Short mmCIF file of all heavy atoms in Angstrom, two decimals:
data_model
loop_
_atom_site.label_atom_id
_atom_site.label_comp_id
_atom_site.label_asym_id
_atom_site.label_seq_id
_atom_site.Cartn_x
_atom_site.Cartn_y
_atom_site.Cartn_z
N ASP A 339 101.76 106.09 102.35
CA ASP A 339 102.04 107.12 101.34
C ASP A 339 101.34 108.42 101.73
O ASP A 339 100.12 108.56 101.53
CB ASP A 339 101.58 106.65 99.95
CG ASP A 339 102.62 105.79 99.25
OD1 ASP A 339 103.41 105.14 99.95
OD2 ASP A 339 102.64 105.78 98.00
N VAL A 471 103.11 115.41 86.31
CA VAL A 471 102.44 115.04 87.56
C VAL A 471 102.52 113.52 87.62
O VAL A 471 102.02 112.84 86.71
CB VAL A 471 100.97 115.50 87.57
CG1 VAL A 471 100.27 115.03 88.84
CG2 VAL A 471 100.88 117.01 87.43
N SER A 472 103.21 112.98 88.64
CA SER A 472 103.46 111.54 88.71
C SER A 472 102.54 110.89 89.72
O SER A 472 102.33 111.42 90.81
CB SER A 472 104.90 111.26 89.15
OG SER A 472 105.80 111.83 88.23
N TYR A 473 102.03 109.73 89.35
CA TYR A 473 101.23 108.95 90.30
C TYR A 473 101.66 107.49 90.21
O TYR A 473 101.64 106.90 89.13
CB TYR A 473 99.73 109.10 90.00
CG TYR A 473 98.88 108.09 90.74
CD1 TYR A 473 99.03 107.90 92.11
CD2 TYR A 473 97.95 107.31 90.07
CE1 TYR A 473 98.28 106.96 92.78
CE2 TYR A 473 97.18 106.36 90.74
CZ TYR A 473 97.36 106.19 92.09
OH TYR A 473 96.62 105.25 92.75
N SER A 474 102.05 106.92 91.33
CA SER A 474 102.51 105.54 91.38
C SER A 474 101.60 104.70 92.26
O SER A 474 101.41 105.03 93.44
CB SER A 474 103.94 105.49 91.93
OG SER A 474 104.35 104.15 92.13
N ALA A 475 101.05 103.63 91.69
CA ALA A 475 100.27 102.71 92.51
C ALA A 475 101.21 101.92 93.43
O ALA A 475 100.84 101.51 94.51
CB ALA A 475 99.46 101.77 91.63
N GLY A 476 102.45 101.71 92.97
CA GLY A 476 103.47 101.07 93.82
C GLY A 476 103.86 102.07 94.91
O GLY A 476 104.17 103.22 94.62
N LYS A 477 103.85 101.63 96.15
CA LYS A 477 104.00 102.54 97.28
C LYS A 477 105.44 103.00 97.48
O LYS A 477 106.39 102.37 97.01
CB LYS A 477 103.50 101.86 98.56
CG LYS A 477 102.04 101.45 98.50
CD LYS A 477 101.13 102.65 98.50
CE LYS A 477 99.68 102.26 98.60
NZ LYS A 477 98.79 103.34 98.15
N ASN A 486 109.47 106.66 91.71
CA ASN A 486 108.33 107.18 90.95
C ASN A 486 107.69 108.38 91.63
O ASN A 486 107.38 109.39 90.99
CB ASN A 486 107.23 106.12 90.81
CG ASN A 486 107.72 104.82 90.24
OD1 ASN A 486 108.76 104.80 89.59
ND2 ASN A 486 106.99 103.74 90.46
N SER A 487 107.39 108.24 92.93
CA SER A 487 106.57 109.23 93.63
C SER A 487 107.39 110.23 94.41
O SER A 487 106.83 111.15 94.97
CB SER A 487 105.66 108.56 94.67
OG SER A 487 104.76 107.71 94.06
N PRO A 491 110.04 113.11 90.93
CA PRO A 491 109.38 114.42 91.01
C PRO A 491 110.26 115.49 91.67
O PRO A 491 110.35 116.61 91.16
CB PRO A 491 108.12 114.14 91.85
CG PRO A 491 107.83 112.69 91.62
CD PRO A 491 109.18 112.04 91.48
N THR A 497 105.52 117.45 90.27
CA THR A 497 104.52 117.21 91.31
C THR A 497 104.23 115.71 91.45
O THR A 497 104.10 115.02 90.44
CB THR A 497 103.22 117.96 90.95
OG1 THR A 497 103.54 119.35 90.85
CG2 THR A 497 102.13 117.76 91.98
N ALA A 498 104.10 115.27 92.71
CA ALA A 498 103.74 113.87 92.98
C ALA A 498 102.33 113.82 93.57
O ALA A 498 101.97 114.67 94.39
CB ALA A 498 104.72 113.26 93.96
N VAL A 499 101.57 112.81 93.16
CA VAL A 499 100.25 112.56 93.76
C VAL A 499 100.40 111.34 94.67
O VAL A 499 100.93 110.32 94.24
CB VAL A 499 99.22 112.25 92.65
CG1 VAL A 499 97.91 111.78 93.25
CG2 VAL A 499 99.04 113.45 91.75
N LEU A 500 99.95 111.47 95.91
CA LEU A 500 100.02 110.33 96.84
C LEU A 500 98.63 109.88 97.24
O LEU A 500 97.75 110.72 97.48
CB LEU A 500 100.79 110.72 98.11
CG LEU A 500 102.23 111.19 97.96
CD1 LEU A 500 102.82 111.48 99.34
CD2 LEU A 500 103.07 110.13 97.24
N ASP A 501 98.46 108.58 97.34
CA ASP A 501 97.19 108.02 97.81
C ASP A 501 97.53 106.88 98.75
O ASP A 501 98.29 105.98 98.38
CB ASP A 501 96.38 107.52 96.61
CG ASP A 501 95.05 106.91 97.07
OD1 ASP A 501 94.46 107.43 98.03
OD2 ASP A 501 94.63 105.90 96.47
N ASP A 502 97.00 106.92 99.98
CA ASP A 502 97.44 105.92 100.97
C ASP A 502 96.60 104.64 100.94
O ASP A 502 96.87 103.72 101.68
CB ASP A 502 97.46 106.53 102.38
CG ASP A 502 96.09 107.01 102.84
OD1 ASP A 502 95.06 106.61 102.26
OD2 ASP A 502 96.05 107.81 103.80
N ARG A 503 95.59 104.58 100.07
CA ARG A 503 94.74 103.39 100.09
C ARG A 503 95.41 102.22 99.37
O ARG A 503 96.29 102.41 98.55
CB ARG A 503 93.40 103.69 99.41
CG ARG A 503 92.58 104.70 100.18
CD ARG A 503 91.40 105.16 99.35
NE ARG A 503 91.82 105.84 98.13
CZ ARG A 503 90.99 106.28 97.20
NH1 ARG A 503 89.69 106.08 97.32
NH2 ARG A 503 91.45 106.91 96.13
N ARG A 504 94.95 101.02 99.71
CA ARG A 504 95.42 99.84 98.98
C ARG A 504 94.96 100.00 97.54
O ARG A 504 93.77 100.28 97.30
CB ARG A 504 94.78 98.59 99.60
CG ARG A 504 95.32 97.28 99.10
CD ARG A 504 94.68 96.13 99.89
NE ARG A 504 93.25 95.99 99.60
CZ ARG A 504 92.77 95.33 98.54
NH1 ARG A 504 93.58 94.76 97.67
NH2 ARG A 504 91.45 95.25 98.35
N PRO A 505 95.85 99.90 96.56
CA PRO A 505 95.42 100.16 95.19
C PRO A 505 94.49 99.08 94.64
O PRO A 505 94.82 97.90 94.69
CB PRO A 505 96.73 100.21 94.39
CG PRO A 505 97.74 99.53 95.24
CD PRO A 505 97.29 99.61 96.66
N THR A 506 93.32 99.48 94.17
CA THR A 506 92.40 98.60 93.46
C THR A 506 92.08 99.34 92.17
O THR A 506 92.35 100.55 92.09
CB THR A 506 91.10 98.39 94.25
OG1 THR A 506 90.42 99.67 94.32
CG2 THR A 506 91.34 97.88 95.66
N THR A 509 90.18 102.60 93.11
CA THR A 509 90.93 103.70 93.74
C THR A 509 91.89 104.32 92.73
O THR A 509 92.05 105.54 92.68
CB THR A 509 91.73 103.24 94.98
OG1 THR A 509 92.77 102.35 94.57
CG2 THR A 509 90.86 102.55 96.02
N VAL A 510 92.53 103.46 91.93
CA VAL A 510 93.54 103.96 90.99
C VAL A 510 92.88 104.81 89.90
O VAL A 510 93.33 105.92 89.61
CB VAL A 510 94.34 102.78 90.40
CG1 VAL A 510 95.19 103.24 89.23
CG2 VAL A 510 95.21 102.14 91.47
N PHE A 511 91.81 104.30 89.31
CA PHE A 511 91.13 105.09 88.27
C PHE A 511 90.58 106.39 88.86
O PHE A 511 90.64 107.44 88.24
CB PHE A 511 90.00 104.29 87.63
CG PHE A 511 90.48 103.25 86.64
CD1 PHE A 511 89.96 101.95 86.67
CD2 PHE A 511 91.44 103.55 85.68
CE1 PHE A 511 90.38 101.00 85.76
CE2 PHE A 511 91.87 102.60 84.77
CZ PHE A 511 91.34 101.31 84.81
N GLY A 512 90.04 106.29 90.07
CA GLY A 512 89.50 107.49 90.73
C GLY A 512 90.60 108.54 90.92
O GLY A 512 90.42 109.73 90.63
N THR A 513 91.76 108.09 91.38
CA THR A 513 92.88 109.01 91.59
C THR A 513 93.32 109.64 90.27
O THR A 513 93.61 110.83 90.19
CB THR A 513 94.05 108.26 92.26
OG1 THR A 513 93.58 107.71 93.48
CG2 THR A 513 95.22 109.18 92.55
N ILE A 514 93.36 108.84 89.22
CA ILE A 514 93.78 109.37 87.91
C ILE A 514 92.77 110.42 87.42
O ILE A 514 93.15 111.49 86.94
CB ILE A 514 93.94 108.23 86.88
CG1 ILE A 514 95.11 107.32 87.29
CG2 ILE A 514 94.16 108.79 85.47
CD1 ILE A 514 95.26 106.04 86.47
N PHE A 517 93.21 113.68 89.80
CA PHE A 517 94.47 114.44 89.82
C PHE A 517 95.13 114.58 88.45
O PHE A 517 96.13 115.27 88.32
CB PHE A 517 95.44 113.81 90.82
CG PHE A 517 94.96 113.91 92.24
CD1 PHE A 517 94.32 112.84 92.86
CD2 PHE A 517 95.13 115.08 92.96
CE1 PHE A 517 93.86 112.93 94.15
CE2 PHE A 517 94.67 115.19 94.27
CZ PHE A 517 94.04 114.10 94.87
N LYS A 518 94.60 113.86 87.45
CA LYS A 518 95.10 113.97 86.07
C LYS A 518 96.62 113.88 85.94
O LYS A 518 97.28 114.78 85.42
CB LYS A 518 94.61 115.29 85.45
CG LYS A 518 93.09 115.40 85.49
CD LYS A 518 92.60 116.65 84.81
CE LYS A 518 91.08 116.70 84.78
NZ LYS A 518 90.42 116.47 86.10
N PRO A 519 97.20 112.78 86.43
CA PRO A 519 98.66 112.63 86.29
C PRO A 519 99.06 112.49 84.82
O PRO A 519 98.25 112.03 84.00
CB PRO A 519 98.96 111.33 87.05
CG PRO A 519 97.68 110.56 87.00
CD PRO A 519 96.58 111.59 87.04
N THR A 520 100.31 112.87 84.53
CA THR A 520 100.84 112.67 83.18
C THR A 520 101.64 111.38 83.10
O THR A 520 101.85 110.84 82.04
CB THR A 520 101.76 113.84 82.80
OG1 THR A 520 102.78 113.97 83.81
CG2 THR A 520 100.97 115.15 82.72
N LEU A 521 102.13 110.89 84.26
CA LEU A 521 102.88 109.64 84.31
C LEU A 521 102.20 108.72 85.32
O LEU A 521 101.90 109.14 86.44
CB LEU A 521 104.33 109.90 84.76
CG LEU A 521 105.15 110.80 83.83
CD1 LEU A 521 106.48 111.18 84.50
CD2 LEU A 521 105.40 110.12 82.49
N TYR A 522 101.98 107.49 84.92
CA TYR A 522 101.34 106.52 85.82
C TYR A 522 102.22 105.28 85.92
O TYR A 522 102.67 104.74 84.90
CB TYR A 522 99.94 106.15 85.32
CG TYR A 522 99.36 104.97 86.05
CD1 TYR A 522 99.16 105.02 87.42
CD2 TYR A 522 99.05 103.78 85.38
CE1 TYR A 522 98.67 103.93 88.12
CE2 TYR A 522 98.55 102.69 86.06
CZ TYR A 522 98.37 102.77 87.42
OH TYR A 522 97.90 101.67 88.11
N TYR A 523 102.47 104.85 87.16
CA TYR A 523 103.34 103.71 87.41
C TYR A 523 102.56 102.59 88.10
O TYR A 523 102.04 102.80 89.20
CB TYR A 523 104.48 104.10 88.33
CG TYR A 523 105.36 105.24 87.86
CD1 TYR A 523 104.99 106.57 88.06
CD2 TYR A 523 106.60 104.98 87.27
CE1 TYR A 523 105.83 107.61 87.67
CE2 TYR A 523 107.43 106.01 86.87
CZ TYR A 523 107.04 107.32 87.08
OH TYR A 523 107.87 108.34 86.70
N GLY A 524 102.47 101.44 87.47
CA GLY A 524 101.75 100.31 88.06
C GLY A 524 102.59 99.04 88.00
O GLY A 524 103.79 99.10 87.76
N LEU A 528 98.13 94.64 88.70
CA LEU A 528 97.17 95.74 88.78
C LEU A 528 96.69 96.13 87.38
O LEU A 528 95.50 96.37 87.17
CB LEU A 528 97.81 96.92 89.50
CG LEU A 528 96.89 98.11 89.76
CD1 LEU A 528 95.68 97.71 90.60
CD2 LEU A 528 97.66 99.22 90.47
N GLN A 532 92.92 96.28 86.26
CA GLN A 532 92.37 97.52 85.69
C GLN A 532 91.71 97.23 84.34
O GLN A 532 90.65 97.79 84.04
CB GLN A 532 93.48 98.56 85.52
CG GLN A 532 93.94 99.16 86.83
CD GLN A 532 95.04 100.19 86.61
OE1 GLN A 532 96.22 99.85 86.68
NE2 GLN A 532 94.68 101.41 86.32
N ILE A 546 97.32 110.98 80.86
CA ILE A 546 98.54 110.17 80.96
C ILE A 546 99.31 110.15 79.64
O ILE A 546 98.74 109.81 78.62
CB ILE A 546 98.19 108.72 81.37
CG1 ILE A 546 97.50 108.72 82.73
CG2 ILE A 546 99.43 107.84 81.38
CD1 ILE A 546 97.00 107.34 83.15
N ALA A 548 102.55 108.59 79.62
CA ALA A 548 103.29 107.32 79.64
C ALA A 548 102.91 106.52 80.87
O ALA A 548 102.68 107.07 81.94
CB ALA A 548 104.79 107.58 79.64
#
Side-chain angles (χ1 to χ4, degrees):
D339 276 27
V471 177
S472 300
Y473 167 50
S474 173
K477 300 291 186 199
N486 306 340
S487 297
T497 301
V499 172
L500 300 182
D501 179 36
D502 61 18
R503 293 170 298 176
R504 189 175 68 83
T506 65
T509 67
V510 169
F511 283 135
T513 302
I514 294 172
F517 294 98
K518 304 183 176 51
T520 55
L521 298 170
Y522 169 60
Y523 302 83
L528 185 59
Q532 287 180 267
I546 299 175

